[in-house]
Amino acid sequence: IKGLISTEIYKCDDWHENKCLNPTFQKLTLPVEKALHGQVQTLLDSISTKMRDGQGKTLSDEEKGFVNATMIPILKIIAVEVAFKEGGAPLSINNFSEAIAHDILLQYLDEVMSLVWDSVTQMKKVQINEDMIEEFRSGIADSRKLLFTQRTALFEQFSTTLDLIERTQQIEKKLQNIFISGSVQREK
């Protein structure tokens, strides 16, 4: 997600359709700006700048797709951030960029699992050995449950963070009111 970590990927020996019969492993290290987190950060900065400059309605197709790719309320958080003076916002969208990247990744993986599930279901109709297919489908179902659990945990963490911010604001207001009332009483 953040880049700069070496990983192994499969590389096709022949890029033509249905000809990748001998894939090999290749080490790959993504630079930070090409990794998912870097791309999320770039898009958030772009959207935030547009909203600050009053161009929020002119989001590019890529930015619109990005906003729709997550259940995290990106535009709402940016709107709150923009409504406050520079640096004084209780929320900063940049604090949530990693959570947004994880949410997008988990959503993507769930879509891939769904596609594989559908493909295996189609294979089941023409294959004789149903036991192997059912075992594979069971593995897919377990993986989807794990993805759902991770996504739920991510949203719980996100909700906890927002609750903490809200409680901190309430405490700040109480302290401010106590300070103001104490100052008024001392002046009398």
Side-chain angles (χ1 to χ4, degrees), residues 7-162:
T7 188
E8 287 188 342
I9 62 168
Y10 282 107
K11 180 181 179 184
C12 283
D13 58 331
D14 188 344
W15 289 95
H16 294 90
E17 189 175 345
N18 297 326
K19 299 234 177 169
C20 185
L21 301 175
N22 298 308
T24 57
F25 279 112
Q26 172 185 344
K27 283 199 178 241
L28 176 70
T29 303
L30 287 176
V32 173
E33 63 275 1
K34 294 283 185 182
L36 183 58
H37 183 256
Q39 291 179 359
V40 164
Q41 193 69 48
T42 300
L43 286 165
L44 288 173
D45 290 343
S46 173
I47 294 169
S48 185
T49 300
K50 285 182 178 180
M51 289 185 76
R52 224 183 321 292
D53 295 342
Q55 301 172 356
K57 293 183 180 180
T58 60
L59 297 180
S60 69
D61 288 341
E62 181 184 20
E63 292 165 337
K64 289 176 186 174
F66 167 69
V67 167
N68 291 325
T70 180
M71 293 176 66
I72 296 174
I74 294 172
L75 295 178
K76 187 179 219 174
I77 294 170
I78 292 174
V80 168
E81 186 178 25
V82 169
F84 283 82
K85 291 185 220 169
E86 191 73 29
L91 296 175
S92 173
I93 192 65
N94 293 329
N95 294 342
F96 301 108
S97 60
E98 189 172 350
I100 293 167
H102 276 96
D103 182 48
I104 290 171
L105 177 62
L106 293 173
Q107 176 66 26
Y108 172 75
L109 290 173
D110 187 54
E111 289 173 11
V112 169
M113 293 285 189
S114 179
L115 181 65
V116 171
W117 179 273
D118 292 345
S119 297
V120 169
T121 301
Q122 290 300 319
M123 279 180 47
K124 184 178 177 181
K125 293 178 183 176
V126 295
Q127 295 294 324
I128 297 171
N129 187 352
E130 244 182 75
D131 294 338
M132 289 177 66
I133 290 175
E134 283 306 315
E135 185 178 334
F136 188 64
R137 283 172 47 113
S138 175
I140 293 171
D142 291 345
S143 296
R144 290 185 82 185
K145 286 178 190 173
L146 180 61
L147 286 174
F148 178 78
T149 301
Q150 289 178 343
R151 195 163 192 216
T152 301
L154 176 70
F155 281 112
E156 286 173 0
Q157 181 182 7
F158 187 74
S159 178
T160 301
T161 302
L162 290 176

